[in-house]
Amino acid sequence: TDALHLKEVNVHMLKSEALVLVAGRTHPLSRRETVAYKDLHHQPLLLPKTDEVTGGFERSLEKERIKPRILEFASINGLRNCLQRGIGITLCPEVSVRSALAEGALVKLQWAGEPLQTTILMIWHAEKWRSPLLKHFMKIAETEIGLEPGVFAIPAVHTVL
């Protein structure tokens, strides 16, 4: 099935989104042909404080016994400024850094491991009334994210890495 219906919430998977490791042009890893888990040991890993995207990646690092120095940022601009100055790396949805990559402000690191991805979910309370406006918004969100309204192609209930 493409949806999960629990007692209190409905969860629909909308889309999988590619995640990329990025760094500034002057960062030492930006010159590597590929980057593997071992290359991340003791590297500053810059993450937004509210990030829910990288949890699976962080668990993978622990499993591989890799200990990056995780630095959390309240400001995305602060995080981006550090990256552009060659301080640290980050993992984020590719779509969120597409323009910075095209401009050359950031460099996509060639990950040697399995492809990294996250899932975009639409979650709503199962027993709460949804207004016509909210239902319309949900259809627009489905369309804008790239799927036909009412079509949920890939089953998922949580972030996948």
Side-chain angles (χ1 to χ4, degrees), residues 4-94:
L4 176 65
H5 301 283
L6 303 172
K7 182 178 180 183
E8 295 184 13
V9 296
N10 290 317
V11 180
H12 282 269
M13 187 281 193
L14 298 179
K15 182 179 182 181
S16 288
E17 192 70 49
L19 295 175
V20 292
L21 281 169
V22 295
R25 289 178 289 144
T26 60
H27 192 281
L29 292 180
S30 69
R31 296 179 200 90
R32 296 267 180 109
E33 196 169 306
T34 60
V35 174
Y37 282 113
K38 64 180 174 49
D39 301 318
L40 303 180
H41 197 62
H42 296 299
Q43 283 291 328
L45 180 60
L46 314 181
L47 300 173
K49 273 192 187 242
T50 59
D51 187 66
E52 297 298 326
V53 170
T54 62
F57 184 67
E58 291 178 63
R59 286 187 295 279
S60 295
L61 290 171
E62 287 175 17
K63 183 178 170 187
E64 296 289 328
R65 299 183 195 272
I66 302 300
K67 295 182 181 176
R69 294 188 328 239
I70 296 176
L71 303 171
E72 292 185 337
F73 284 76
S75 162
I76 296 297
N77 287 335
L79 190 152
R80 185 170 288 183
N81 287 338
C82 285
L83 290 172
Q84 289 174 345
R85 288 177 172 75
I87 302 168
I89 62 172
T90 195
L91 178 71
C92 59
E94 186 169 20

Side-chain angles (χ1 to χ4, degrees), residues 78-153:
L79 190 152
R80 185 170 288 183
N81 287 338
C82 285
L83 290 172
Q84 289 174 345
R85 288 177 172 75
I87 302 168
I89 62 172
T90 195
L91 178 71
C92 59
E94 186 169 20
V95 67
S96 70
V97 291
R98 193 169 287 146
S99 63
L101 293 171
E103 295 165 1
L106 297 176
V107 175
K108 179 179 172 182
L109 304 178
Q110 298 305 312
W111 181 241
E114 292 290 320
L116 304 168
Q117 64 180 9
T118 192
T119 304
I120 299 172
L121 303 173
M122 186 179 302
I123 304 171
W124 67 95
H125 196 285
E127 297 176 7
K128 298 277 182 172
W129 179 75
R130 288 182 293 147
S131 70
L133 184 59
L134 178 58
K135 289 178 183 178
H136 183 68
F137 169 79
M138 292 169 75
K139 285 185 181 181
I140 290 171
E142 291 174 15
T143 301
E144 290 300 314
I145 291 172
L147 298 173
E148 295 294 321
V151 176
F152 303 95

